[in-house]
Amino acid sequence: MEFQLPKIILDHGAIKRLPGELALLGIKRPLLVTDQGLVACGVFSQVTQAMASNDFAAFTEVPENPTSEGCNITAAAYTEHKCDGIVAIGGGSVIDTVKAVAAMVTSGRPLSDFHGKPQNINFPLIPIVTIPTTAGTGSEVSPGAGIHPTATTRSIGAASRFSIPKIAICDPDLTFTLPPRLTAATGIDALAHCVEGFLSKNASPMVDVIALDGISRAFNNVEAAYKNGADKMARSEMLMASVAGGVAIHKGLGPVHALAGTFGDRGFHHGTMVAIALPACTRLAEQHAPEKVKLIAMALGLSPADKVSDAFANLNERLDMPKTMRDYGYGDGDINEMIEDAHNSHFLNASPFMPTRDEMAALVREFYG
């Protein structure tokens, strides 16, 4: 299996490397892209301080979920400021937006040419540098990007191997202000990426080793980061787990992300939905892929008598995660349409087993609540 990664710099204080890394890429006027939450908590100012003696432009209005409109206004800012590279400072919403924008501004074509048509992104893009401020999405090192047509519609893919960033600067210090709720949700997202990537039917022993390492790091450190956001060791371990999850994504994902994708039509946080789905989907994996799940249990440090699905459910409880989407606030919906959408999800293409319609119906109903 072939996979490609950015140059990855992971260390406390790594943000200081940004000007030098931009110079190595030949970028003289980058557009720094972020959201208002990171402006308000002071993280964006840490980045601009590192760039104090360098020319740059800034765009700080990326929406909470990556949307078509967000891509359009970011692309307009890039063109207006005459930039020659782009730096994404944030979580998955900012980074996914930047990947789509890079295809738009490089080609001069609208998002509609690429939205759901990743095969059209078949050309080198402007340089992308990612600075993750959450520890979960893995988007900082992966090709994937999901863009919602609106904030209350399901996401559509808009990425290819050309969307892989050139450099990922992973500084745990930039994650200290991440609130506990988001620390937990993005941390479980990282865990799920590693789990589903490891379980994938696609073969890559190298990725499997990284995924198992990420499973161990995420499972054993997310609670500490949740309880104490200033825990330097836990924050560092979780950022490494996020990178591992981004690597694992190259093998594909599975039912957890099929469910989260189906219910991603009302603006709910992706990582929380992933957390809700993980125990039930793991129980199904215990039936269909028991030997691989045993290796996950070893990575978690469980005894032979312990079930991985129970360990994930117990972790969710300690992190105060909702148990169902109804608990999370998701209202009434067409259950049969949800079952069909989840059963037809592209995320199942890499799953080690194809859930039957009855199995998917049971998963959706348990997930929904």
Side-chain angles (χ1 to χ4, degrees):
M1 178 184 178
E2 176 181 324
F3 69 96
Q4 177 183 337
L5 296 175
K7 177 180 180 180
I8 301 169
I9 305 168
L10 199 161
D11 197 7
H12 292 279
I15 190 60
K16 297 175 184 177
R17 298 274 298 273
L18 178 59
E21 295 300 325
L22 291 172
L24 289 174
L25 291 174
I27 299 174
K28 296 181 179 178
R29 184 173 171 77
L31 180 68
L32 307 188
V33 178
T34 194
D35 58 49
Q36 279 298 302
L38 289 167
V39 173
C41 72
V43 168
F44 185 62
S45 68
Q46 292 179 259
V47 179
T48 58
Q49 287 169 20
M51 290 287 291
S53 60
N54 298 81
D55 187 22
F56 66 89
F59 180 78
T60 63
E61 301 296 334
V62 174
E64 185 174 351
N65 278 317
T67 63
S68 296
E69 178 60 19
C71 292
N72 290 335
I73 59 178
T74 306
Y78 182 92
T79 301
E80 176 187 352
H81 291 294
K82 297 180 171 58
C83 296
D84 58 353
I86 193 160
V87 179
I89 303 123
S93 295
V94 173
I95 297 173
D96 284 11
T97 295
V98 160
K99 290 176 181 176
V101 167
M104 296 166 66
V105 299
T106 301
S107 64
R109 293 155 60 187
L111 177 63
S112 58
D113 280 7
F114 310 111
H115 212 177
K117 306 166 189 173
Q119 70 276 8
N120 289 350
I121 307 177
N122 55 10
F123 48 88
L125 307 184
I126 61 166
I128 300 170
V129 175
T130 57
I131 303 174
T133 60
T134 68
T137 71
S139 189
E140 62 269 17
V141 299
S142 75
I147 306 297
H148 299 258
T150 69
T152 55
T153 53
R154 292 170 181 150
S155 68
I156 302 174
S160 78
R161 65 185 180 88
F162 292 100
S163 305
I164 297 171
K166 296 294 184 185
I167 300 172
I169 297 178
C170 305
D171 188 337
D173 295 352
L174 300 184
T175 68
F176 286 175
T177 61
L178 190 67
R181 178 181 63 86
L182 291 178
T183 295
T186 56
I188 298 296
D189 196 21
L191 174 63
H193 290 153
C194 293
V195 168
E196 291 205 300
F198 177 71
L199 290 174
S200 167
K201 67 182 180 182
N202 296 320
S204 177
M206 185 182 301
V207 173
D208 285 348
V209 170
I210 295 170
L212 285 172
D213 180 76
I215 288 169
S216 178
R217 291 181 192 275
F219 183 79
N220 290 305
N221 289 280
V222 64
E223 190 175 356
Y226 171 69
K227 290 180 176 178
N228 178 11
D231 186 327
K232 295 185 70 171
M233 179 62 73
R235 289 297 195 185
S236 180
E237 291 287 304
M238 288 309 301
L239 203 49
M240 284 189 273
S242 177
V243 170
V247 174
I249 288 170
H250 286 76
K251 282 185 61 186
L253 295 169
V256 170
H257 282 78
L259 289 175
T262 291
F263 283 75
D265 61 346
R266 300 191 186 179
F268 287 89
H269 189 265
H270 171 78
T272 303
M273 293 190 290
V274 164
I276 296 170
L278 186 58
C281 292
T282 303
R283 280 199 300 276
L284 200 58
E286 287 167 342
Q287 298 175 32
H288 291 287
E291 295 307 312
K292 277 200 162 185
V293 175
K294 285 180 183 177
L295 294 174
I296 293 174
M298 292 174 63
L300 298 180
L302 302 182
S303 72
D306 294 329
K307 286 189 174 182
V308 173
S309 55
D310 290 342
F312 290 158
N314 292 336
L315 177 62
N316 277 352
E317 187 171 348
R318 295 196 301 273
L319 297 175
D320 298 315
M321 285 291 169
K323 290 185 177 180
T324 69
M325 287 301 295
R326 285 194 186 278
D327 291 341
Y328 191 25
Y330 194 101
D332 292 336
D334 185 338
I335 192 72
N336 290 318
E337 189 277 334
M338 294 171 183
I339 292 168
E340 288 303 317
D341 185 80
H343 195 234
N344 293 324
S345 172
H346 69 92
F347 286 118
L348 297 179
N349 294 339
S351 176
F353 59 92
M354 176 57 71
T356 65
R357 192 185 185 282
D358 286 346
E359 286 175 327
M360 183 54 76
L363 283 177
V364 169
R365 289 191 171 95
E366 180 176 351
F367 181 66
Y368 192 15

PDB file of all heavy atoms in Angstrom, residues 25-45:
ATOM      1  N   LEU A  25       9.796  26.488   1.898  1.00  0.00           N
ATOM      2  CA  LEU A  25       8.797  26.217   0.853  1.00  0.00           C
ATOM      3  C   LEU A  25       8.730  27.338  -0.184  1.00  0.00           C
ATOM      4  O   LEU A  25       8.005  27.210  -1.179  1.00  0.00           O
ATOM      5  CB  LEU A  25       7.411  26.032   1.475  1.00  0.00           C
ATOM      6  CG  LEU A  25       7.195  24.766   2.308  1.00  0.00           C
ATOM      7  CD1 LEU A  25       5.828  24.808   2.983  1.00  0.00           C
ATOM      8  CD2 LEU A  25       7.312  23.521   1.434  1.00  0.00           C
ATOM      9  N   GLY A  26       9.446  28.412   0.057  1.00  0.00           N
ATOM     10  CA  GLY A  26       9.419  29.542  -0.874  1.00  0.00           C
ATOM     11  C   GLY A  26       8.196  30.423  -0.717  1.00  0.00           C
ATOM     12  O   GLY A  26       7.881  31.215  -1.606  1.00  0.00           O
ATOM     13  N   ILE A  27       7.519  30.321   0.407  1.00  0.00           N
ATOM     14  CA  ILE A  27       6.315  31.125   0.651  1.00  0.00           C
ATOM     15  C   ILE A  27       6.719  32.461   1.264  1.00  0.00           C
ATOM     16  O   ILE A  27       7.311  32.513   2.340  1.00  0.00           O
ATOM     17  CB  ILE A  27       5.342  30.388   1.594  1.00  0.00           C
ATOM     18  CG1 ILE A  27       4.896  29.071   0.966  1.00  0.00           C
ATOM     19  CG2 ILE A  27       4.139  31.266   1.921  1.00  0.00           C
ATOM     20  CD1 ILE A  27       4.050  28.216   1.888  1.00  0.00           C
ATOM     21  N   LYS A  28       6.383  33.546   0.589  1.00  0.00           N
ATOM     22  CA  LYS A  28       6.754  34.879   1.060  1.00  0.00           C
ATOM     23  C   LYS A  28       5.591  35.623   1.710  1.00  0.00           C
ATOM     24  O   LYS A  28       5.803  36.523   2.526  1.00  0.00           O
ATOM     25  CB  LYS A  28       7.308  35.703  -0.107  1.00  0.00           C
ATOM     26  CG  LYS A  28       8.607  35.128  -0.684  1.00  0.00           C
ATOM     27  CD  LYS A  28       9.135  35.983  -1.816  1.00  0.00           C
ATOM     28  CE  LYS A  28      10.451  35.418  -2.367  1.00  0.00           C
ATOM     29  NZ  LYS A  28      10.973  36.214  -3.503  1.00  0.00           N
ATOM     30  N   ARG A  29       4.372  35.270   1.318  1.00  0.00           N
ATOM     31  CA  ARG A  29       3.189  35.938   1.890  1.00  0.00           C
ATOM     32  C   ARG A  29       2.083  34.899   2.094  1.00  0.00           C
ATOM     33  O   ARG A  29       1.205  34.728   1.246  1.00  0.00           O
ATOM     34  CB  ARG A  29       2.705  37.076   0.989  1.00  0.00           C
ATOM     35  CG  ARG A  29       1.527  37.870   1.579  1.00  0.00           C
ATOM     36  CD  ARG A  29       1.211  39.089   0.724  1.00  0.00           C
ATOM     37  NE  ARG A  29      -0.015  39.749   1.125  1.00  0.00           N
ATOM     38  CZ  ARG A  29      -0.145  40.557   2.194  1.00  0.00           C
ATOM     39  NH1 ARG A  29       0.891  40.776   2.977  1.00  0.00           N
ATOM     40  NH2 ARG A  29      -1.300  41.125   2.473  1.00  0.00           N
ATOM     41  N   PRO A  30       2.101  34.204   3.209  1.00  0.00           N
ATOM     42  CA  PRO A  30       1.064  33.203   3.458  1.00  0.00           C
ATOM     43  C   PRO A  30      -0.232  33.833   3.949  1.00  0.00           C
ATOM     44  O   PRO A  30      -0.228  34.925   4.531  1.00  0.00           O
ATOM     45  CB  PRO A  30       1.684  32.342   4.554  1.00  0.00           C
ATOM     46  CG  PRO A  30       2.531  33.312   5.325  1.00  0.00           C
ATOM     47  CD  PRO A  30       3.105  34.251   4.291  1.00  0.00           C
ATOM     48  N   LEU A  31      -1.322  33.124   3.703  1.00  0.00           N
ATOM     49  CA  LEU A  31      -2.585  33.478   4.344  1.00  0.00           C
ATOM     50  C   LEU A  31      -2.742  32.572   5.562  1.00  0.00           C
ATOM     51  O   LEU A  31      -2.787  31.343   5.437  1.00  0.00           O
ATOM     52  CB  LEU A  31      -3.768  33.271   3.389  1.00  0.00           C
ATOM     53  CG  LEU A  31      -5.139  33.629   3.986  1.00  0.00           C
ATOM     54  CD1 LEU A  31      -5.241  35.141   4.222  1.00  0.00           C
ATOM     55  CD2 LEU A  31      -6.277  33.152   3.080  1.00  0.00           C
ATOM     56  N   LEU A  32      -2.797  33.172   6.756  1.00  0.00           N
ATOM     57  CA  LEU A  32      -3.028  32.412   7.977  1.00  0.00           C
ATOM     58  C   LEU A  32      -4.538  32.306   8.184  1.00  0.00           C
ATOM     59  O   LEU A  32      -5.227  33.321   8.298  1.00  0.00           O
ATOM     60  CB  LEU A  32      -2.387  33.104   9.181  1.00  0.00           C
ATOM     61  CG  LEU A  32      -0.906  33.477   9.081  1.00  0.00           C
ATOM     62  CD1 LEU A  32      -0.397  33.968  10.437  1.00  0.00           C
ATOM     63  CD2 LEU A  32      -0.066  32.306   8.590  1.00  0.00           C
ATOM     64  N   VAL A  33      -5.038  31.095   8.220  1.00  0.00           N
ATOM     65  CA  VAL A  33      -6.482  30.859   8.271  1.00  0.00           C
ATOM     66  C   VAL A  33      -6.844  30.212   9.604  1.00  0.00           C
ATOM     67  O   VAL A  33      -6.225  29.224  10.020  1.00  0.00           O
ATOM     68  CB  VAL A  33      -6.919  29.945   7.109  1.00  0.00           C
ATOM     69  CG1 VAL A  33      -8.420  29.656   7.192  1.00  0.00           C
ATOM     70  CG2 VAL A  33      -6.586  30.589   5.769  1.00  0.00           C
ATOM     71  N   THR A  34      -7.866  30.763  10.268  1.00  0.00           N
ATOM     72  CA  THR A  34      -8.309  30.201  11.548  1.00  0.00           C
ATOM     73  C   THR A  34      -9.766  30.567  11.774  1.00  0.00           C
ATOM     74  O   THR A  34     -10.462  31.034  10.858  1.00  0.00           O
ATOM     75  CB  THR A  34      -7.405  30.692  12.694  1.00  0.00           C
ATOM     76  OG1 THR A  34      -7.633  29.905  13.855  1.00  0.00           O
ATOM     77  CG2 THR A  34      -7.641  32.156  13.008  1.00  0.00           C
ATOM     78  N   ASP A  35     -10.257  30.344  13.005  1.00  0.00           N
ATOM     79  CA  ASP A  35     -11.636  30.693  13.349  1.00  0.00           C
ATOM     80  C   ASP A  35     -11.646  31.632  14.554  1.00  0.00           C
ATOM     81  O   ASP A  35     -10.631  31.839  15.214  1.00  0.00           O
ATOM     82  CB  ASP A  35     -12.475  29.444  13.617  1.00  0.00           C
ATOM     83  CG  ASP A  35     -11.918  28.578  14.742  1.00  0.00           C
ATOM     84  OD1 ASP A  35     -11.606  29.122  15.817  1.00  0.00           O
ATOM     85  OD2 ASP A  35     -11.809  27.352  14.555  1.00  0.00           O
ATOM     86  N   GLN A  36     -12.813  32.173  14.833  1.00  0.00           N
ATOM     87  CA  GLN A  36     -12.921  33.174  15.899  1.00  0.00           C
ATOM     88  C   GLN A  36     -12.671  32.582  17.284  1.00  0.00           C
ATOM     89  O   GLN A  36     -12.204  33.276  18.188  1.00  0.00           O
ATOM     90  CB  GLN A  36     -14.298  33.836  15.849  1.00  0.00           C
ATOM     91  CG  GLN A  36     -14.404  34.937  14.818  1.00  0.00           C
ATOM     92  CD  GLN A  36     -13.451  36.089  15.113  1.00  0.00           C
ATOM     93  OE1 GLN A  36     -13.507  36.695  16.168  1.00  0.00           O
ATOM     94  NE2 GLN A  36     -12.566  36.389  14.161  1.00  0.00           N
ATOM     95  N   GLY A  37     -12.967  31.306  17.478  1.00  0.00           N
ATOM     96  CA  GLY A  37     -12.704  30.688  18.761  1.00  0.00           C
ATOM     97  C   GLY A  37     -11.233  30.713  19.120  1.00  0.00           C
ATOM     98  O   GLY A  37     -10.863  30.975  20.277  1.00  0.00           O
ATOM     99  N   LEU A  38     -10.373  30.484  18.132  1.00  0.00           N
ATOM    100  CA  LEU A  38      -8.931  30.477  18.383  1.00  0.00           C
ATOM    101  C   LEU A  38      -8.369  31.885  18.495  1.00  0.00           C
ATOM    102  O   LEU A  38      -7.331  32.092  19.128  1.00  0.00           O
ATOM    103  CB  LEU A  38      -8.219  29.688  17.282  1.00  0.00           C
ATOM    104  CG  LEU A  38      -8.488  28.182  17.364  1.00  0.00           C
ATOM    105  CD1 LEU A  38      -8.041  27.476  16.102  1.00  0.00           C
ATOM    106  CD2 LEU A  38      -7.786  27.579  18.574  1.00  0.00           C
ATOM    107  N   VAL A  39      -9.062  32.844  17.916  1.00  0.00           N
ATOM    108  CA  VAL A  39      -8.693  34.243  18.143  1.00  0.00           C
ATOM    109  C   VAL A  39      -9.017  34.617  19.588  1.00  0.00           C
ATOM    110  O   VAL A  39      -8.189  35.209  20.301  1.00  0.00           O
ATOM    111  CB  VAL A  39      -9.433  35.172  17.164  1.00  0.00           C
ATOM    112  CG1 VAL A  39      -9.184  36.635  17.527  1.00  0.00           C
ATOM    113  CG2 VAL A  39      -8.988  34.907  15.728  1.00  0.00           C
ATOM    114  N   ALA A  40     -10.212  34.236  20.031  1.00  0.00           N
ATOM    115  CA  ALA A  40     -10.675  34.622  21.368  1.00  0.00           C
ATOM    116  C   ALA A  40      -9.829  34.011  22.484  1.00  0.00           C
ATOM    117  O   ALA A  40      -9.593  34.656  23.508  1.00  0.00           O
ATOM    118  CB  ALA A  40     -12.139  34.217  21.546  1.00  0.00           C
ATOM    119  N   CYS A  41      -9.362  32.778  22.293  1.00  0.00           N
ATOM    120  CA  CYS A  41      -8.611  32.115  23.374  1.00  0.00           C
ATOM    121  C   CYS A  41      -7.122  32.416  23.324  1.00  0.00           C
ATOM    122  O   CYS A  41      -6.364  31.969  24.191  1.00  0.00           O
ATOM    123  CB  CYS A  41      -8.838  30.605  23.338  1.00  0.00           C
ATOM    124  SG  CYS A  41      -8.036  29.759  21.969  1.00  0.00           S
ATOM    125  N   GLY A  42      -6.684  33.171  22.333  1.00  0.00           N
ATOM    126  CA  GLY A  42      -5.291  33.607  22.284  1.00  0.00           C
ATOM    127  C   GLY A  42      -4.347  32.706  21.517  1.00  0.00           C
ATOM    128  O   GLY A  42      -3.164  33.041  21.353  1.00  0.00           O
ATOM    129  N   VAL A  43      -4.833  31.574  21.007  1.00  0.00           N
ATOM    130  CA  VAL A  43      -3.942  30.672  20.268  1.00  0.00           C
ATOM    131  C   VAL A  43      -3.466  31.312  18.973  1.00  0.00           C
ATOM    132  O   VAL A  43      -2.283  31.209  18.608  1.00  0.00           O
ATOM    133  CB  VAL A  43      -4.642  29.328  19.989  1.00  0.00           C
ATOM    134  CG1 VAL A  43      -3.846  28.495  18.983  1.00  0.00           C
ATOM    135  CG2 VAL A  43      -4.805  28.546  21.286  1.00  0.00           C
ATOM    136  N   PHE A  44      -4.363  31.997  18.279  1.00  0.00           N
ATOM    137  CA  PHE A  44      -3.958  32.613  17.012  1.00  0.00           C
ATOM    138  C   PHE A  44      -2.865  33.652  17.229  1.00  0.00           C
ATOM    139  O   PHE A  44      -1.942  33.788  16.416  1.00  0.00           O
ATOM    140  CB  PHE A  44      -5.162  33.240  16.312  1.00  0.00           C
ATOM    141  CG  PHE A  44      -4.851  33.778  14.945  1.00  0.00           C
ATOM    142  CD1 PHE A  44      -4.418  32.933  13.939  1.00  0.00           C
ATOM    143  CD2 PHE A  44      -4.984  35.129  14.658  1.00  0.00           C
ATOM    144  CE1 PHE A  44      -4.118  33.429  12.666  1.00  0.00           C
ATOM    145  CE2 PHE A  44      -4.704  35.634  13.408  1.00  0.00           C
ATOM    146  CZ  PHE A  44      -4.267  34.775  12.399  1.00  0.00           C
ATOM    147  N   SER A  45      -2.939  34.373  18.344  1.00  0.00           N
ATOM    148  CA  SER A  45      -1.907  35.380  18.614  1.00  0.00           C
ATOM    149  C   SER A  45      -0.547  34.730  18.856  1.00  0.00           C
ATOM    150  O   SER A  45       0.495  35.324  18.558  1.00  0.00           O
ATOM    151  CB  SER A  45      -2.298  36.250  19.809  1.00  0.00           C
ATOM    152  OG  SER A  45      -2.297  35.504  21.014  1.00  0.00           O
TER     153      SER A  45
END
